Amino acid sequence: MPENLRQELCEALAQARGVLQDLDRLGLGALPLPALADNPPVCPLSVRGLDRGGTAPCRSETLDEVRADLGDCQRCPLARGRRHIVFGAGAPRARLVLVGEGPGREEDERGEPFVGEAGRLLDRMLFAIGLERSEVYLCNVVKCRPPGNRDPEPGEIAACRPFLERQLAAIAPEMILALGRVASQSLLASGTPISRLRGQWRDYQGIPLLPTYHPAYLLRNPAAKRESWEDLKQVRQRLRGGG
Ligand code: URA
């Protein structure tokens, strides 16, 4: 550190110490700071997850801020083939966030998550537990369509990951429903098959997360709907306040 800067810093600290000593002599045990509630500072990423009790003196970013930062993202090769970035949609203060894999053809065309056939099944699944899509938040592990609907590559998932994490921190939901293998394994950093992960509550940065089957899988394997219904009932129970 340059000498003149070090000296300025020492002087500022000495002044601050003097002010604190004066306040102490006046019998003020705490600094009369203004309330932080109106526009508290953005928390560093590392502590955002701790803000869930509502007591931490900092707020997370808003979803709009995360979207603005994503911009016209070119951080991975998926950018080249996409028509739209599918950022996510739903209630910014949703109690439940559903995380899918990545946009398909219709989502890419419209820029909205889960608007194709799997999305229509998802709507019916939500309806079955008394929810509408506008009450939850829907997003994906990657925000751009993988060509031919292939699975997203690890590098693509990694490039998108900070934005998914920031979305989840901004919403701070009470629970997450991870739809399918890609979302479940990636959020939990696990290699366990979805058939073993599903149906059991896990932890994602302090938020309860339930892995379940992807609706597209259910369209191909209707017999798995029975297990999926068991998972949805667990979500319904938690939303009603029964852990
Ligand atoms: N499948 C997904 O995983 N996400 C979507 O948005 C649509 C289909």
Side-chain angles (χ1 to χ4, degrees):
M1 181 188 296
E3 182 54 27
N4 57 346
L5 195 62
R6 203 186 66 81
Q7 223 165 357
E8 276 179 35
L9 209 59
C10 287
E11 280 165 22
L13 283 173
Q15 274 180 16
R17 187 182 297 121
V19 171
L20 289 171
Q21 281 167 347
D22 285 348
L23 287 171
D24 194 39
R25 276 194 288 274
L26 288 168
L28 281 172
L31 285 175
L33 291 176
L36 285 167
D38 281 353
N39 195 17
V42 172
C43 303
L45 205 58
S46 54
V47 301
R48 276 188 208 135
L50 303 176
D51 195 11
R52 302 180 46 68
T55 49
C58 52
R59 70 176 172 89
S60 172
E61 303 165 286
T62 65
L63 284 172
D64 285 346
E65 285 166 338
V66 182
R67 179 65 190 88
D69 197 20
L70 182 66
D72 179 33
C73 183
Q74 304 290 328
R75 292 169 180 83
C76 88
L78 293 183
R80 285 200 288 274
R82 72 163 183 244
R83 289 185 65 178
H84 289 106
I85 293 178
V86 180
F87 181 68
R93 292 265 165 264
R95 298 176 64 197
L96 171 66
V97 172
L98 293 90
V99 182
E101 180 175 320
R105 187 180 52 79
E106 286 170 81
E107 288 79 17
D108 178 50
E109 272 166 21
R110 290 177 46 189
E112 266 188 63
F114 286 102
V115 289
E117 203 188 347
R120 287 187 284 279
L121 174 57
L122 190 59
D123 283 337
R124 295 198 292 280
M125 290 160 64
L126 288 171
F127 182 77
I129 55 167
L131 291 172
E132 289 185 16
R133 126 181 331 239
S134 61
E135 294 175 279
V136 302
Y137 191 85
L138 301 171
C139 56
N140 284 301
V141 164
V142 293
K143 301 187 186 328
C144 299
R145 183 190 183 201
N149 291 348
R150 65 156 169 77
D151 287 354
E153 305 271 359
E156 296 157 357
I157 295 176
C160 236
R161 174 74 180 219
F163 293 92
L164 176 59
E165 288 188 1
R166 288 166 63 184
Q167 282 174 290
L168 293 170
I171 301 165
E174 284 171 40
M175 65 201 86
I176 297 169
L177 188 61
L179 301 169
R181 176 183 62 80
V182 172
S184 304
Q185 290 185 342
S186 121
L187 285 170
L188 297 172
S190 160
T192 306
I194 182 65
S195 55
R196 294 218 343 256
L197 285 175
R198 66 143 286 277
Q200 305 219 19
W201 289 96
R202 320 273 165 162
D203 176 83
Y204 166 83
Q205 298 193 5
I207 304 173
L209 178 150
L210 187 68
T212 192
Y213 291 128
H214 193 287
Y217 173 81
L218 297 176
L219 288 170
R220 297 190 302 270
N221 301 277
K225 284 184 183 170
R226 196 179 48 76
E227 288 166 300
S228 163
W229 175 233
E230 293 305 317
D231 302 343
L232 288 172
K233 282 194 291 187
Q234 291 204 58
V235 171
R236 182 175 65 183
Q237 189 180 358
R238 228 171 231 257
L239 284 170
R240 286 178 177 166

